[in-house]
Amino acid sequence: PNELMPISVSAVDGSSTKALLNNGTNNATPGTKAMLDATTFQTEGNRIQIYDFVTSEGVTSKHIDDQIGPELDSNSPLHQEGVTWPFVNEPHQWIPGTHKFFGWLALDKNMESNNNPEVFFSTGFSFDNTTKVLTIPEKEMTASTPQFDFMYSNVFSTEPINTPVPLTFKHLFSAFYITGLNRDESSTATVKSITISGLKGNKSAVIDFSGDQTAVSYNTTSGESTSFSFDFSTGVALTSTAKNLTDKYMIWPQTGEDFANAKLKIEYEVAIDGRTTEEERDVPLSSIAGWEAGVVNAINIVIDVDQITFYIRSLEDWNTEIKDIVVEM
């Protein structure tokens, strides 16, 4: 252990390309609703909570309880600017035994408020050092909920090594947005309002780091459903090309059963041959198979004269899924 380098952590993009994150300047406006991406993840002041528990001769003890940040100074020989994230209280040295690393997003400086889990989730957000279980209390996700993109890591176990420690991060939430198009070129369609009701937006979670792999379980903690309402005062005219009607909104992952009573209500106007009529339709969403964590889902509304259909498109390229973070001791 005395010949080993200090422990080092680096951040790597978790998209399919597995490219290293750039340490560019973040130009996002603080406080805006936005999911973290490879740039905003590297914002100066962002912090990740890191734990390291060491087992030696049958005894397990906590070795590291610290945070890492992209802009912190480091004297570690393993430090690579823009790649490794130094500890707030470095250096941390290797000791004999099997080290178990894991962590979660502790601070998102892209937001002015509700930017850490203790504030965002409020009372009940807690970690048990003995069971290694992180408890995420009940939180309702609505259109007005701050978009705090909470992420958690895998478990990485190792003997002392002379290379950075990789941690793969995943998203706790799913996300969605709504698009619309008009398939009938002989008419014009203008959307006035959209409401999605019947979603299970009030859930809690437990993240268990005690095993070889991180285990996450979600619980629907309230029988009441959640609605997302969007009013367009002047109306949004649809064309033959799909147009975004809403921003992206985070939501707890939804199972197929969660959509059993969900529906989309749309109010719109249709103009044909100089005559305008007001329309209102309810579209059942019970056919949706589910929305997984870390995936942005597009609800695509299609208006065709006197009928409305929809289809769901899952955007797997939510490169906010920051995987591979490497720990620097």
Side-chain angles (χ1 to χ4, degrees), residues 199-240:
L199 297 178
K200 300 298 184 183
N202 209 343
K203 295 190 178 186
S204 62
V206 172
I207 304 178
D208 188 346
F209 297 102
S210 64
D212 294 332
Q213 299 181 3
T214 304
V216 182
S217 58
Y218 295 92
N219 302 293
T220 302
T221 55
S222 173
E224 297 181 1
S225 61
T226 297
S227 296
F228 286 77
S229 296
F230 309 99
D231 292 319
F232 311 101
S233 56
T234 59
V236 178
L238 302 183
T239 66
S240 58

Side-chain angles (χ1 to χ4, degrees), residues 38-60:
T39 298
T40 55
F41 187 70
Q42 288 274 354
T43 297
E44 180 175 333
N46 280 5
R47 295 291 181 266
I48 292 175
Q49 174 67 44
I50 297 292
Y51 282 97
D52 172 25
F53 286 84
V54 180
T55 300
S56 178
E57 298 181 353
V59 178
T60 299

